[in-house]
Amino acid sequence: MKFELTILGSSSATPVFNRNPSAQLLNCNEKFYLIDCGEGTQQQLIKFGLKASKIDTIFISHLHGDHYFGLIGLISTMHLNGRIKPLYVYGPAALKDILDIQFKYSDTVLRFQLLFNPVVADEPRVIFQNQDVVVETIIMNHRIPCTGFKFSEKKRLRKVIADKLEEAGIAPEYYPLLKKGLDLTLPGGRFIKNSDYTVDSDAPKSYCYCSDTLADGSYLESLTNCTVLYHEATFLHELIERANTTHHSTALQAAEIAQEVGAGKLIIGHFSSRYKVLLPLLEEAKGKFHSTELALEGHTYSI
Amino acid sequence: MKFELTILGSSSATPVFNRNPSAQLLNCNEKFYLIDCGEGTQQQLIKFGLKASKIDTIFISHLHGDHYFGLIGLISTMHLNGRIKPLYVYGPAALKDILDIQFKYSDTVLRFQLLFNPVVADEPRVIFQNQDVVVETIIMNHRIPCTGFKFSEKKRLRKVIADKLEEAGIAPEYYPLLKKGLDLTLPGGRFIKNSDYTVDSDAPKSYCYCSDTLADGSYLESLTNCTVLYHEATFLHELIERANTTHHSTALQAAEIAQEVGAGKLIIGHFSSRYKVLLPLLEEAKGKFHSTELALEGHTYSI
């Protein structure tokens, strides 16, 4: 299935010229998930030719403004543009109060259902699943309750070896059962051993989003088998003390975590506004974990 | 004094490509006033090289999101950038609740004083003044309580006729009193008639901001002696019924109002997202009131 990530915002705390606060759009099998929604996310969607109307599910990591100030505007625009299908929002419980007070005073009654699901940042939990993906929280260590999110593909069906099945005269009507991994006994008693006619599918892929966190390793277990890891890298490692004080990570620490969990690829983002040029952050991370890329707004990364 | 307006946002309801929701920056004698603050206003300030730190006073017309969703982000950025001087905010009382709940859950204690002044949309009132300007509310007729704002220069001092004063041997120490319009009797009994030695200064200028309103003329009196009138013109007049239903104005109606109050210039804005090209709106307004301009983002208009 299609599984790709588009960066909409890569800045920490405040927007700076050409960088917007955190937001990412994940496409899993042509279903669109928005991860965080800093101010201006709807403008970024317009800029990159992405349709807000395609987003059905939104995950908000925590209630620092650079991760959610754009949500009320995005929802209002969906309403004004005539949306009728439901919108699912996952985030800290208080987010609902913040949205509701603004709907109240603008006298807005949404034309669609906003289905709000409070997320508790106490331990990793499955908070969402459909036929394509499972989403689990990752418990971050930040100044306020904060979760990351792990998106894992559902286990795929086995691949049938069509030539061999045809040669053996096994009718295509049995393929779906074989894809599911079943051994079969056909009418008449012929036994079909699944492993003779199918092979394992590719391993399910996963995308882990580590929003804002002290890089204390407390969440490493959640990153097991991570295909692509996004990890915040607010600072260069020379500012490790600042990172510790503010409960953020350095580029080097993000790389160490990617290495430790054996991630397939690392994307770093949430860059401090002090960095006009991002190359030193990339170089610092690549020195420890080669397969690192910068989160660049408008770029799409294959998972 | 310097008296000029920069448009930061000109779109109604939702942002569209290249147009952002309502926000304007007014420079009165190098003091900066922000009028409305739609989502992305802080990004617009960055884009146009304007410093958020220079803004000391913010006026919010009403609680539809396209006029204030950017406020919490702008204030947060001021905080994160180390602001210490106070910020004055004028707007509907509930705006304070909306800000406070977001500060609470992000665990933000502002390092500067946010001095909030609730504005009641019942009748025109003076809500602010300093040595440069007086600000009065204009009562709009919108779907929720809404005010516009009239910024009037303070009455200027009279101009002294320096040559004539010198010739008459009147010492410069008396000029400040003459500028204030006083007749003087000098020590020794010489009488100086003010009008012989001074002339009237230029008439004070004013800028009227009519945010969102049905163009029902109920607020015409507030627009007396308006030098520059900004009036919303959400629709072309062919959509007058839509304008009436949504309590908005057409370009033609904005022009009629400018004509009726004898404004020096009209700026139209708050354009519906349906208009990719704005020229028809301009032409419609100019047909009735020639001295009309479009509110174009990043453009500065002299008052």
Side-chain angles (χ1 to χ4, degrees), chain B residues 27 68 91 115 119 126 133 146-147 157 167 183 199 229 232 235 238 240 242-243 258 287 303:
Chain B
N27 176 345
Y68 86 89
L115 299 161
V119 172
V126 170
V133 288
C146 178
T147 64
L157 296 175
E167 205 174 294
D183 293 330
V199 291
L229 169 65
E232 70 120 305
F235 303 109
E238 64 190 21
I240 179 67
R242 179 98 186 115
I303 306 294

Side-chain angles (χ1 to χ4, degrees), chain A residues 228-244:
Chain A
V228 175
L229 169 65
Y230 165 90
H231 199 289
E232 71 120 307
T234 308
F235 302 109
L236 283 170
H237 203 70
E238 64 191 20
L239 291 182
I240 178 67
E241 284 187 31
R242 178 98 187 115
N244 287 337

